[in-house]
Amino acid sequence: MSRLQSRAQREAAFLKLATDLYTQLEEWYDQHPAASFGELEQEARRLRREFMGQGLAVVINGRDTGFQLEEPVCPQCGQALQFVGYRSWRVSGLEGETELERAYYVCRECEGQTLFPPGSETAVTPGSLE
Ligand SMILES: [Zn+2]
């Protein structure tokens, strides 16, 4: 799973996925030389779903996962929150399966105070892309 990346890094990661898709399609055709157009197209669609799902993860997660260099403060007690890790969830989109993730913080003082800091991708909440 990708973390924060520059635009150039995201582009490289995305193009790598596209190159992998092309390679897999060539290999599949090598192994099925008698395949009909429809069969080749079916394999291409399957690979495209994988590619698009992973490609969207690069674009979204690579921009902003909500991780902050300076710890955000607890809205209840004002103490600095502790970064716990990343929580991920799966979105079944029109083009494929995408694994999204957000940074996750907890308060050491307050029971159950947690935070998923909103970022530029505030609109990307579980279910919003479904
Ligand atoms: Zn607190």
Side-chain angles (χ1 to χ4, degrees), residues 74 77 107 110:
C74 173
C77 71
C107 180
C110 307

Side-chain angles (χ1 to χ4, degrees), residues 74 76-79 81 107 109-110 113:
C74 173
Q76 194 165 308
C77 71
Q79 295 254 19
L81 291 166
C107 180
E109 305 298 323
C110 307
Q113 269 295 331

Side-chain angles (χ1 to χ4, degrees), residues 52-130:
M52 287 303 290
Q54 293 169 12
L56 290 176
V58 167
V59 171
I60 297 170
N61 294 330
R63 269 181 194 224
D64 181 12
T65 56
F67 180 77
Q68 298 174 14
L69 288 177
E70 199 162 316
E71 292 170 328
V73 296
C74 173
Q76 194 165 308
C77 71
Q79 295 254 19
L81 291 166
Q82 186 177 15
F83 173 69
V84 179
Y86 293 93
R87 294 288 159 96
S88 63
W89 69 94
R90 230 172 160 68
V91 177
S92 294
L94 294 173
E95 290 289 335
E97 300 284 317
T98 299
E99 187 109 1
L100 298 177
E101 63 177 13
R102 293 303 289 172
Y104 180 64
Y105 292 84
V106 296
C107 180
R108 298 175 188 85
E109 305 298 323
C110 307
E111 187 87 18
Q113 269 295 331
T114 59
L115 181 72
F116 289 95
S120 59
E121 270 61 55
T122 304
V124 182
T125 53
S128 72
L129 292 179
E130 290 175 13

